[in-house]
Amino acid sequence: LFGNALTDPSIETLGDILEKSPQIVSVNLEYNQISERGAKRIASRILKATTTLTKLNLYCNPLTGKGVIHIAKALKKNNSLNTLGIVVP
């Protein structure tokens, strides 16, 4: 999903897909348009609901500091994710 111009609403759909596809263990969302709102959705839908995801790449998305905080809080309850890539521009 690298560089596909995905936006915040796309994260809701991705959450649905991941809940139904436990065989997916890695998601690369690098170079998309995911903002703080999308980061909040990642935290609530993907990191809390998914127990099989081990790698998530969010490099080069306009997440903002608040978005990163949403993700960090969700990681407290997530035991499967062992690699997270974030760079906030």
Side-chain angles (χ1 to χ4, degrees), residues 12-24:
E12 194 68 32
T13 303
L14 180 60
D16 292 341
I17 292 167
L18 290 174
E19 285 177 356
K20 296 174 185 170
S21 306
Q23 68 275 20
I24 297 173

Side-chain angles (χ1 to χ4, degrees), residues 1 6 9-27 29 41 45-47 49-53:
L1 301 172
L6 298 177
S10 305
I11 299 305
E12 194 68 32
T13 303
L14 180 60
D16 292 341
I17 292 167
L18 290 174
E19 285 177 356
K20 296 174 185 170
S21 306
Q23 68 275 20
I24 297 173
V25 296
S26 178
V27 176
L29 297 172
R41 286 183 173 170
R45 289 293 313 274
I46 295 172
L47 294 179
T50 304
T51 57
T52 58
L53 195 64

Side-chain angles (χ1 to χ4, degrees), residues 11 35-45 66-67 70-71:
I11 299 305
S35 72
E36 178 185 340
R37 190 172 130 208
K40 191 172 184 178
R41 286 183 173 170
I42 288 170
S44 67
R45 289 293 313 274
K66 287 182 181 179
H70 289 301
I71 291 171

Side-chain angles (χ1 to χ4, degrees), residues 64-81:
T64 74
K66 287 182 181 179
V68 174
I69 290 170
H70 289 301
I71 291 171
K73 286 180 179 178
L75 288 175
K76 289 180 180 181
K77 298 178 181 179
N78 180 294
N79 296 320
S80 64
L81 196 71

